Amino acid sequence: MFALMSRAVNTSENVSETTRSEIQTFIKKVIQANINAKGYSEEEMVSRAQAFYSRMDGKEEPAYPLLKKYCGEFTALATAMRMASANLTILEFLKKLIHAEAGKHNAFVKNYIDELIARANPMEKAVYDEIRYNELIIRYQGEVEVAKEKFAAEQTHDASELCLIAEIIDWVFTADEKEVNGQSRLNMFALTREIHEKAINNHTAAYRAIDKIHLPITIGEYTTTADFSNEASEQQKVEQFFAAKRDNSLTQVKNWPAYVGFALGIAAAIASPLTSLSLLVVTLIGAGFGVVTLLKNKADRKQILLDYDNSISMTMDVLRHLFEEYGTYLAEYYEYDRYTEQIAAEFAQL
């Protein structure tokens, strides 16, 4: 009844804004009262609907091999993409639900009125209860106590303050489309429109809140939290990292041992004519050690510079391609995110 009232009020051109507002306020109060009947809250109903919408996301992992290989938070990026991709499925769901065949509307109203007319009055209900009780006795082959227990459970379910709104939410998503009138689903959806709208907004806020800009990356020995909004800055960080590593390695190459060797050789050379041949050998060894050390240090410095050039070139190349792939990822993500505008437009038609 409230669903029909809500739809009629929203679509009628003969209802003033004041009247429309008053009726909608009344319906909202009734809905809220039902939600609170068993200690539920609107937030719980929103979460209930949100869970259904969240299950509409894509199940396949986005194909971004470089991000997967080098980004430590690729799982978060994949989650954001899957959740955003759900917008397309959500939009299709809303379109199919909201644009139910207009021709079915009159049939739905007629069936609804017929159901009200056919609903049992208190005296008829007592008779029906007696019939149901006897049916249970027959089903359980004369086990009266079992039949009483089952009958009492059914009566408790019927008479209790069920959270009707929770059941409506579940029904909108789980009802068999082949067996349920599209207009019926639409009216139940319209009745709980605000809950569905908040649920989708929460879904959107959840994936938008995932940090897709500042991401940890590891390229070989280089590790940092990259700012994917500033490629130039990240390139500079790479240069600084390897320049510091190069300079540190170069400082480890020491020439002073060679100079010590030369000094010993010179001292031995001066003393050797006055003493023995052994000092001449020391002279040769000291000079040789100095020469070999200087040559080795030169080769080591050359290798350090070569390693620096190779490392920074490789890291820069990966970083450049990583930013390119990230740009592709972001374009796809925003393409899905823009469906929220169409989703909002569908709600505006209710």
Side-chain angles (χ1 to χ4, degrees):
M1 180 178 69
F2 286 121
L4 286 173
M5 185 187 301
S6 177
R7 289 281 294 159
V9 167
N10 283 332
T11 58
S12 176
E13 297 179 356
N14 299 319
V15 179
S16 68
E17 286 299 322
T18 301
T19 302
R20 180 179 289 110
S21 177
E22 290 178 351
I23 293 175
Q24 290 293 0
T25 299
F26 171 72
I27 293 175
K28 289 176 186 177
K29 287 182 178 179
V30 173
I31 291 174
Q32 192 60 54
N34 180 265
I35 290 175
N36 296 336
K38 280 290 184 178
Y40 292 99
S41 66
E42 183 184 64
E43 289 74 21
E44 288 176 289
M45 295 301 104
V46 171
S47 296
R48 193 183 195 94
Q50 185 179 343
F52 282 102
Y53 288 115
S54 295
R55 287 196 285 271
M56 294 182 183
D57 65 0
K59 299 299 182 282
E60 295 183 4
E61 183 178 84
Y64 293 96
L66 292 180
L67 285 170
K68 183 177 182 179
K69 181 177 181 179
Y70 297 107
C71 179
E73 289 295 334
F74 178 72
T75 300
L77 289 177
T79 298
M81 180 68 81
R82 284 196 297 267
M83 292 179 70
S85 70
N87 288 336
L88 180 57
T89 308
I90 291 171
L91 178 62
E92 292 173 350
F93 170 78
L94 293 178
K95 282 184 174 181
K96 190 172 184 179
L97 190 151
I98 292 173
H99 301 285
E101 295 180 33
K104 293 184 178 180
H105 177 73
N106 291 335
F108 170 76
V109 175
K110 178 182 182 299
N111 292 337
Y112 178 80
I113 293 173
D114 288 344
E115 183 183 337
L116 288 179
I117 294 173
R119 188 170 297 169
N121 59 41
M123 290 182 64
E124 292 172 326
K125 185 177 183 304
V127 175
Y128 293 151
D129 286 348
E130 183 67 23
I131 294 173
R132 178 57 181 161
Y133 177 63
N134 290 329
E135 287 176 346
L136 289 172
I137 292 177
I138 295 171
R139 176 190 297 180
Y140 294 105
Q141 301 177 346
E143 295 289 340
V144 177
E145 293 303 319
V146 176
K148 282 184 179 180
E149 183 180 340
K150 295 296 181 181
F151 180 74
E154 289 184 5
Q155 292 294 300
T156 300
H157 179 276
D158 293 340
S160 65
E161 288 289 341
L162 294 175
C163 186
L164 178 61
I165 304 306
E167 293 191 356
I168 289 175
I169 291 171
D170 293 353
W171 182 80
V172 165
F173 289 104
T174 60
D176 190 335
E177 295 181 10
K178 296 179 181 179
E179 299 178 0
V180 175
N181 184 290
Q183 189 65 44
S184 176
R185 291 183 74 201
L186 173 57
N187 280 281
M188 293 301 102
F189 181 83
L191 183 64
T192 54
R193 166 189 170 166
E194 288 193 7
I195 290 174
H196 286 278
E197 201 162 10
K198 288 179 180 178
I200 293 176
N201 288 341
N202 286 356
H203 173 83
T204 302
Y207 73 72
R208 285 179 177 174
I210 296 174
D211 191 349
K212 296 171 285 294
I213 303 296
H214 303 94
L215 303 167
I217 62 171
T218 299
I219 305 173
E221 60 186 318
Y222 177 70
T223 299
T224 188
T225 298
D227 180 356
F228 275 89
S229 67
N230 193 337
E231 184 175 0
S233 175
E234 292 308 314
Q235 290 176 342
Q236 187 177 28
K237 283 165 60 178
V238 170
E239 291 175 352
Q240 291 172 347
F241 172 81
F242 284 105
K245 185 174 182 294
R246 175 201 63 197
D247 294 344
N248 181 64
S249 296
L250 288 173
T251 60
Q252 303 305 312
V253 181
K254 309 293 185 181
N255 284 337
W256 64 263
Y259 300 140
V260 170
F262 287 138
L264 290 173
I266 292 171
I270 294 173
S272 62
L274 304 176
T275 55
S276 66
L277 185 62
S278 61
L279 289 177
L280 180 61
V281 174
V282 172
T283 299
L284 294 175
I285 293 174
F289 174 78
V291 171
V292 170
T293 299
L294 289 178
L295 291 175
K296 180 179 181 302
N297 286 351
K298 183 179 179 180
D300 288 346
R301 289 189 183 95
K302 184 178 180 180
Q303 186 62 49
I304 288 171
L305 293 175
L306 181 62
D307 290 344
Y308 163 78
D309 290 338
N310 290 337
S311 294
I312 196 169
S313 176
M314 182 276 292
T315 306
M316 284 292 198
D317 187 58
V318 171
L319 187 68
R320 183 174 64 257
H321 286 94
L322 200 57
F323 266 84
E324 290 174 358
E325 188 172 276
Y326 175 79
T328 303
Y329 165 89
L330 216 55
E332 183 182 2
Y333 166 81
Y334 281 122
E335 182 180 351
Y336 286 128
D337 185 65
R338 279 192 291 273
Y339 281 112
T340 56
E341 299 173 4
Q342 296 184 49
I343 289 172
E346 290 300 322
F347 273 105
Q349 297 183 56
L350 287 174

